Amino acid sequence: MNKSIQQQLNILDYGLHSLWQKKGRNFCVFLIFSGVIFLLASFQFMSASLTRTAELLLVTVPDITVQQLSAGRQVPLSAKSLGKLDTVFGISSIRPRIWGYYFDESNGANYTVIGSSAPATDDLLDSLLIAGSYPQAGEQGAVVLGSAVLDNLGLGDRKSFSLFRPDLTQVALHRVGVFQQSINLLTADLMLMSLEDARDLFAMGHDEFTDLLVQVANPTEIPTIASKIADAIPGSRVVTAEQIRKTYEAVFSFRSGFGAACLLASLAAFVILAFDKGLGFSREDQQEVGILKMLGWQTGDIMRLRFYESLATAACAFGLGISLAWAHILFFDGGLFRSVFLGWSVLRPTFDIVPYIQGRDILLLFAFSALPYLAATIIPAWRASIVRADSVV
Amino acid sequence: MLVTSWSIGLSVTSLLALFLILRSAYTGIRVVRFWDQSADTPLQIRLESEIWLSSTLMEYGLFFQIFSLLLLVIAADSFASLLPGAMCATGSFLANDYGMKSLALKLVSVFLYGFWILIHRLDIRSPRYPLVRLKNVYLLLLCPLLITDITLQTLYLQGLHPDIITSCCGVVFTKPDVSILGLSQSMASVSTVVVFYCGCLLLFLPAWKRFLFSQSLLAIGSALLFPTGLWIVTTFVSPYVYAMPHHRCPFCLLHAEYNFVGYPLFLSLYLASFSGMGVALLAAFRKHSDLEGVIYMQQKELRMVLSWSLLFFIGLSLYFPLKYLVLGGE
C-alpha cells in the first residue's frame, strides 16, 4: 500500500482509539450535536415530505380554476360567464362547482362544502372512497363525507342528518360514501354533494356557482388558455394547477427556511460549546501531544489526528441525528413540528405524511451542521498541537 | 428569498469560509511582512507555528468554497420549482442579474482555490518552506475574490422572488439570440466536435512527452479544455442524453431522470482541466532544488489524474451519441 495512505490510516486508527478512551468527555458533545442535527433534519425532511404529499394529491386538481372577483372579493359566477368560454379553443371540459364553508355552531367547526355537477365515474376517483359511491345525477340530498366530519357530526352508523340554511330552515341530507383516510389532507373536513343541494344549503340563485373547473386537452397550452379565459371573463381570477403546486412548495420551503433560521441559534450555541471544549485541553492531553512529538510526530500530523477525531464525532452524530429525524417523520408523522407547517384548526386534517428523502437534503444538512462543527475545532486543534515536547514531559 | 433552507445553508457555508480565510489572511499579512527563514527571533518561531494554523484554515475555507459551488447548483435546481417559468437551474440562475455572474465566478474561483492548495501541499514538503511568502501573497489576493464571490451569491439569493417569471432551458439554449455566458450563441457543428475530441487526445502528448513549450501547451490546452468541454456537453452531448434534439441544457443532466450523469461528466472535466494546469504550474517551481523530487512525484500523480479523468470524460461524453448512432433513437 502507498506509504502516505498507510500513514493516514495509522493516524486515523490512533485517533479512533484515543476518542474511545475519552468517550465520557466526548459523549456530551456527541449527544448535543445529534440533537441539533435531529432538529434541523426534521424540519428539512418534513418540508420535503409535505411537498411530496401535496404533489401526489394535486394530480386530481383541475388544470384551471376560474373564480369571479368584485371589489377584490370573490362573488358567485353566473351561467352567462360559462357561455363566454365557448369561444376558447383547446378546452376539453368545463365543470361548474360550488365551494363554500359551513359553520357548525354545535361544535365550532368549519366544514368545507363542495357541490359538483358531474357524478364521478372514473376509477381514480372511486378509489378515493372507503365505501359507498358519489352522488348520482338527480339524487337529492346525497353527500360524501370526510372522516373528520363523520366523527364530528357523531353520525355513527346513521345515514341521515340535517344542516341549517342561512334562514335556519333545515336541509335533509343522507350519507352515501366516506373518503379514504390517506387523502385526509384534502378531504378531512369535506362534504361533497350535488350542485343543486349545495345551492339549496347556501341559498344561492339557481344559475349561480362559485368557480369553474376547466380541463385542457394539451397541457402545454394551459398558460395560453388561462390568459384567454381571463380576457373572456372580465374581473375573473384564473388559477392553474401549476401555480397551486408552486404556492404549496413556496409555503413549505419558506416555513422550513424559517425553522432553519430559528435553529441557527442552537447551532451557533453548539459551535461555541465545541470550540470552548476544544480549547480546554487537560494536562493529560498536553502530555500526550508531548510524547507524540518526541516520537517524531509533526504539528501537521497532530492537527490531522484532531481532524479525524472531529470527523468521526461529526459522522456518528450526523448519522444518529438523521436517523432520529427520519424515524420522527416515519413513525410519528413529524409530530413535533406538524403544527408549524400545517397551522391549526378545530378540524385538523389527520393525514399520513408520505416520507420522502433526497440525497440533496442530506448534503444540505451536512453543510448546515458538520461543516460549522469541523470549522470550530480547527483553532483548538492547532493550540493543542503546538505544545513543545520539553515543556510538558 | 433568503429564508429558505438552501439560501441559509449556502450563506452559512460561505460565511464560515470567509471567517476562516480572513483569520488565515491575518497570519498571511504578518508572514509576508516579517518572515525570515534565517532568523531565530520569537516572532519567527511564532510565525513558524502559526503558518500551520493559517494553512489549515485556508484549506478548510477553500474546501468549503468548492463545496459551495455544488450547493449553489443544487440550490438553483431546487429554486426552479418555486420560480414561475423555470424548469431547472438555468431558469433559476437567469431569474436575476447576479445568478450567472455568481456561478461563473465560483467556477473560475474553484480553479484558483485548487492552485493554492497545490502550492501549499508542495511547500510543506520542504522543511525550509520555500514557497511560504508566495503562498501567503496568493492567499491575500484570493481574499477580494472570495468577498466578491460571497457578495454576488448573497445578491443573487436576495434578488430571487417567487413572482418573477424567468426562462426555461428550452428557450435559453435553443435560440441563438439568447445568450448564457456566450455558450449557446452557436451550436457545435460536426467539424467542431471532431476538432474538440482530437484536441483532447492531443493533450496527452505534452502531458507525457517533454519537448519545447510542452508545459505551456499543456497549460493552455487544459485551460481551454474546461470552457470548450462545457460548451460541447451543452450543445452536442446533452441532446443525445435527453433524446430530444432541441433540449440543450447543462443543468438537466444533473437530474435523477438522466441518472445524474452530469456529475461524473463535469467532475471528470474539471479534474482533467485542473490537473493539466497543475502539472504546468508545478513545473514553474523547479528552480527550488530541494523541491525537485517532490515536484516530480506530484506531477506524475497529476498526470495520472489528467489521463484517467480525460479518458473517462471522452468515453462518457461520446457514449450517448455513439449509442444513438448504433442503436438508433429512443
Side-chain angles (χ1 to χ4, degrees), chain B residues 35-104:
Chain B
W35 183 267
D36 180 4
Q37 182 65 44
S38 55
D40 199 13
T41 57
L43 178 64
Q44 177 63 18
I45 292 169
R46 170 92 189 153
L47 282 180
E48 279 182 19
S49 70
E50 250 187 57
I51 56 169
W52 282 103
L53 172 66
S54 76
S55 52
T56 310
L57 289 173
M58 193 67 187
E59 271 189 297
Y60 270 65
L62 298 184
F63 167 71
F64 286 3
Q65 273 307 95
I66 293 170
F67 188 71
S68 81
L69 169 65
L70 180 67
L71 275 189
L72 180 71
V73 173
I74 301 176
D77 203 42
S78 76
F79 293 151
S81 53
L82 302 173
L83 300 169
M87 295 176 84
C88 69
T90 310
S92 307
F93 280 124
L94 289 173
N96 64 40
D97 290 344
Y98 302 105
M100 277 299 164
K101 286 177 191 157
S102 177
L103 176 68

Side-chain angles (χ1 to χ4, degrees), chain B residues 98 102 144-157:
Chain B
Y98 302 105
S102 177
L145 186 76
L146 179 83
I147 292 168
T148 317
D149 183 349
I150 294 174
T151 310
L152 278 177
Q153 179 186 294
T154 310
L155 287 171
Y156 167 61
L157 295 173

Side-chain angles (χ1 to χ4, degrees), chain A residues 44 246 249-250 253-254 256-258 261 264 299-300 303 307 360 363-364 366-368 371-372 374-375 378 382 386, chain B residues 3-6 8-9 12-13 16 49-50 52-53 56-57 60 64 67 70-71 74 77-78 80-84 86:
Chain A
Q44 193 59 28
K246 289 206 179 212
E249 189 157 348
S253 166
F254 174 81
S256 135
F258 187 73
L264 275 185
T299 305
M303 288 187 76
F307 167 72
R360 56 170 62 177
L363 202 69
L364 175 66
F366 178 78
F368 245 134
L371 294 190
L374 290 177
I378 308 171
W382 171 73
I386 55 167
Chain B
V3 190
T4 68
S5 312
W6 285 100
I8 295 169
V12 165
T13 311
L16 277 175
S49 70
E50 250 187 57
W52 282 103
L53 172 66
T56 310
L57 289 173
Y60 270 65
F64 286 3
F67 188 71
L70 180 67
L71 275 189
I74 301 176
D77 203 42
S78 76
S81 53
L82 302 173
L83 300 169

Side-chain angles (χ1 to χ4, degrees), chain A residues 297-315:
Chain A
W297 285 49
Q298 301 291 317
T299 305
D301 297 330
I302 295 168
M303 288 187 76
R304 187 149 296 134
L305 170 71
R306 298 286 174 244
F307 167 72
Y308 286 142
E309 286 179 3
S310 309
L311 195 66
T313 311

Side-chain angles (χ1 to χ4, degrees), chain B residues 78-268:
Chain B
S78 76
F79 293 151
S81 53
L82 302 173
L83 300 169
M87 295 176 84
C88 69
T90 310
S92 307
F93 280 124
L94 289 173
N96 64 40
D97 290 344
Y98 302 105
M100 277 299 164
K101 286 177 191 157
S102 177
L103 176 68
L105 185 67
K106 264 194 202 297
L107 280 174
V108 174
S109 310
V110 162
F111 280 94
L112 298 175
Y113 299 151
F115 293 148
W116 188 92
I117 294 176
L118 218 55
I119 296 174
H120 166 65
R121 291 274 157 93
L122 187 62
D123 181 49
I124 55 171
R125 296 296 293 274
S126 163
R128 287 193 313 113
Y129 306 125
L131 306 176
V132 72
R133 204 182 283 269
L134 170 83
K135 191 171 77 176
N136 282 284
V137 171
Y138 189 0
L139 184 161
L140 295 176
L141 291 175
L142 284 180
C143 286
L145 186 76
L146 179 83
I147 292 168
T148 317
D149 183 349
I150 294 174
T151 310
L152 278 177
Q153 179 186 294
T154 310
L155 287 171
Y156 167 61
L157 295 173
Q158 180 71 57
L160 279 179
H161 300 291
D163 52 339
I164 290 178
I165 292 183
T166 178
S167 309
C168 93
C169 57
V171 179
V172 177
F173 291 98
T174 316
K175 280 188 186 168
D177 56 327
V178 185
S179 162
I180 164 173
L181 293 175
L183 275 177
S184 64
Q185 283 188 339
S186 58
M187 300 300 150
S189 62
V190 177
S191 52
T192 326
V193 173
V194 172
V195 169
F196 172 76
Y197 283 104
C198 288
C200 285
L201 292 174
L202 280 177
L203 215 54
F204 286 99
L205 211 62
W208 290 100
K209 290 272 174 211
R210 292 200 67 174
F211 51 87
L212 194 63
F213 300 126
S214 62
Q215 300 295 342
S216 314
L217 264 179
L218 182 63
I220 295 168
S222 311
L224 287 175
L225 176 67
F226 193 70
T228 48
L230 281 183
W231 178 59
I232 290 287
V233 168
T234 307
T235 61
F236 171 69
V237 180
S238 69
Y240 288 100
V241 179
Y242 306 134
M244 288 167 106
H246 295 293
H247 190 188
R248 297 183 173 98
C249 175
F251 299 109
C252 291
L253 291 173
L254 306 172
H255 288 173
E257 57 260 46
Y258 305 111
N259 302 316
F260 305 106
V261 69
Y263 290 102
L265 209 53
F266 295 131
L267 184 70
S268 58

